[in-house]
């Protein structure tokens, strides 16, 4: 699931097919007639990537590099570059609002730390969001907002929170600021097992600390291993299996797949960058509907299919309008209908999953099963663009979604992985992010 050559994919010509049967939109955000999903009912601040209002759409948090694919860069920067992290989002409606932002320093477990603002910031911890523009000639009115994260003094975990008047949270995003005090060796490994070697991807790693004095590293060093920069299925509480004091090195060698992930499949995709003709993955589009309606091609389970290699964007998406360019303000919103063929219901609720859902099982992306048609369907209001997504079955509370049920799993799939290394020096009150490294598995160069 590689993004390095994604720019070439964006240049594919949109397929032209006849327009299909009109679809009547019933999106709550579009019509304003339905009750907001329960997901948005609780406005309590969560220390995670979260959207607190159904009017907030198309949130992107990335590192501004000036390159074409910068929106795919996760909000992870070395100390001294935190101001490069950019947050963008839309708010549906015809009136702009006054929003402020603040930064919350968190510990390694994403709980607020005891540090005062001035211990990690050099300015007042309240930032007025002044960069906003109105959507131009769109059927769904919205305002597009953008802000840069402030500079910070310490490495570690931060939560960037945008608030509406009354300190009601609107959107929150996790940011990572690191410093390479230790030497992280992260590399693809070989799965030792039976059938697992065909479906899992293992990451082997070690940490060298010759240049820094770590006190009791066996218990004080914490690591987090992520796939495609996701938090929902990350590996936590991985403890070193060996501490080599003479070499000043921590070894992490496991035999129970603690450091392995399902490889899954390359992500499904669709293209709604044009509202005049159906793009790739789109069955039909109705530009006369308000909002524009698009029905995607019926998909099927890939659980028993062979691996299929193609270029994807690791579950991400990019906003763009083919007719007018500049996806920030010229892209309209489309009522997208998802379709998934299934001979029988799954063993749990089925959702669309990806960056378009904040990697969460949201009510508005839940699919409904029609036993007569043997078809799951659901729809969501999405900004024009190119999207990656998967189908996932909801698991028990607190467990990662089950993507393998519909997507299958292959060790040949391209994925990105990163390792976060935390340490709290004795006598201090902050968990520092002292090491960070990324590695690609099955990179397509």
């Amino acid at each position: 699931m590689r993004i390095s050559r994604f720019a070439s994919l964006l240049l594919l010509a949109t397929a032209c097919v006849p327009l299909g049967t009109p679809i009547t939109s019933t999106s709550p955000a579009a019509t304003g007639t339905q009750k907001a999903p329960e997901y948005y009912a609780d406005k309590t601040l969560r220390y995670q990537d979260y959207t607190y209002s159904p009017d907030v759409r198309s949130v992107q948090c990335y590192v501004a590099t000036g390159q074409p694919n910068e929106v795919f860069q996760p909000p992870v920067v070395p100390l001294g570059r935190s101001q490069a992290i950019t947050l963008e989002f839309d708010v549906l409606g015809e009136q702009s609002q006054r929003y402020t932002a603040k930064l919350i320093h968190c510990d390694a477990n994403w709980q607020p730390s005891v540090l005062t603002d001035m211990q990690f910031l050099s300015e007042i911890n309240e930032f007025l969001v002044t960069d906003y523009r109105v959507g131009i000639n769109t059927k769904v009115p919205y305002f597009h907002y953008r802000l840069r994260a402030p500079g910070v003094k310490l490495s570690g975990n931060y939560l960037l929170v945008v608030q509406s008047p009354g300190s009601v949270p609107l959107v929150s995003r996790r940011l990572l600021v690191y410093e390479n005090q230790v030497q992280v060796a992260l590399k693809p490994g070989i799965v030792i097992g039976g059938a697992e070697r065909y479906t899992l991807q293992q990451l082997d790693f070690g940490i060298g600390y010759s240049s820094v004095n770590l006190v009791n590293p066996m218990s004080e060093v914490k690591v987090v291993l992520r796939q495609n920069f996701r938090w929902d299925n990350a590996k936590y509480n991985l403890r070193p299996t060996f501490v080599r004091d003479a070499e000043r090195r921590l070894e992490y060698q496991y035999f129970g797949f603690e450091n392995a992930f399902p490889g899954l499949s390359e992500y499904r995709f669709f293209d709604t960058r044009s509202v005049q003709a159906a793009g790739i993955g789109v069955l039909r589009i109705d530009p006369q509907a308000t909002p524009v309606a698009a029905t995607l091609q019926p998909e099927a389970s890939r659980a028993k299919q062979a691996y299929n290699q193609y270029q994807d964007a690791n579950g991400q998406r990019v906003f763009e309008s083919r007719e007018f360019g500049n996806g920030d303000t010229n892209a309209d919103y489309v009522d997208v209908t998802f379709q998934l063929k299934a001979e029988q219901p799954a063993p749990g609720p089925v959702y669309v999953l990806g960056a378009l859902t904040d990697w969460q099982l949201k009510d508005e992306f839940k699919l409904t099963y029609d036993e007569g048609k043997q078809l799951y369907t659901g729809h969501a209001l999405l900004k024009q663009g190119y999207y990656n997504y998967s189908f996932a079955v909801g698991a028990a509370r607190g467990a990662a979604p089950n993507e393998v049920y519909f997507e299958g799993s292959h060790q040949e799939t391209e994925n990105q992985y990163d390792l976060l290394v935390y340490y709290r020096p004795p006598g201090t009150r902050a968990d520092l992010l002292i090491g960070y490294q990324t590695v690609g598995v099955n990179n397509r160069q």
Side-chain angles (χ1 to χ4, degrees), residues 106-331:
C106 298
D107 62 19
N109 297 319
W110 288 102
Q111 295 300 309
S113 73
V114 296
L115 298 185
T116 64
D117 292 345
M118 297 310 296
Q119 288 178 299
F120 62 88
L121 283 176
S122 299
E123 51 193 312
I124 301 299
N125 194 6
E126 184 177 58
F127 313 94
L128 184 63
V129 182
T130 58
D131 185 353
Y132 62 92
R133 290 168 290 167
V134 65
I136 301 173
N137 295 326
T138 58
K139 290 187 176 182
V140 177
Y142 66 87
F143 281 81
H144 181 77
Y145 294 81
R146 176 185 298 168
L147 71 149
R148 289 287 183 93
V152 297
K153 301 176 182 178
L154 299 175
S155 64
N157 292 345
Y158 292 89
L159 190 76
L160 181 60
V161 182
V162 178
Q163 299 175 322
S164 57
S167 298
V168 178
L170 191 74
V171 60
S172 58
R173 281 299 182 270
R174 289 178 172 181
L175 319 180
L176 297 175
V177 180
Y178 68 89
E179 49 188 329
N180 285 319
Q181 297 186 22
V182 295
Q183 298 78 47
V184 181
L186 177 66
K187 63 180 181 179
I190 299 176
V191 176
I192 305 300
E196 291 85 359
R197 68 181 183 272
Y198 300 110
T199 62
L200 298 182
Q201 294 178 341
Q202 179 171 304
L203 287 301
D204 296 334
F205 58 96
I207 300 172
Y209 55 99
S210 58
S211 59
V212 60
N213 183 29
L214 301 184
V215 179
N216 194 14
M218 181 70 176
S219 59
E220 295 300 327
V221 171
K222 299 179 181 179
V223 300
V224 178
L225 185 61
R226 301 191 300 174
Q227 180 188 57
N228 294 327
F229 313 113
R230 295 169 55 175
W231 292 105
D232 63 304
N233 64 349
K235 304 286 187 180
Y236 299 90
N237 302 317
L238 298 175
R239 295 296 182 183
T241 51
F242 299 99
V243 179
R244 304 189 184 280
D245 288 328
E247 304 172 18
R248 300 184 66 78
R249 182 175 178 80
L250 304 176
E251 296 285 353
Y252 295 78
Q253 300 177 9
Y254 303 103
F255 303 96
F257 310 124
E258 292 93 336
N259 56 336
F261 293 79
L264 301 176
S265 299
E266 310 296 349
Y267 282 91
R268 303 173 192 264
F269 57 90
F270 66 89
D271 185 349
T272 56
R273 288 175 290 165
S274 173
V275 295
Q276 300 301 323
I280 297 174
V282 179
L283 176 64
R284 56 180 176 263
I285 193 163
D286 181 6
Q288 303 304 319
T290 301
V292 173
T295 301
L296 303 187
Q297 297 279 359
E299 298 284 341
S301 173
R302 300 188 288 180
K304 297 182 180 180
Q305 295 181 5
Y307 172 69
N308 183 17
Q309 178 180 328
Y310 56 84
Q311 203 80 19
D312 73 352
N314 283 347
Q316 298 296 318
R317 77 275 204 242
V318 61
F319 307 122
E320 184 183 352
S321 169
R322 278 195 179 276
E323 285 79 19
F324 304 106
N326 186 13
D328 289 350
T329 55
N330 290 341

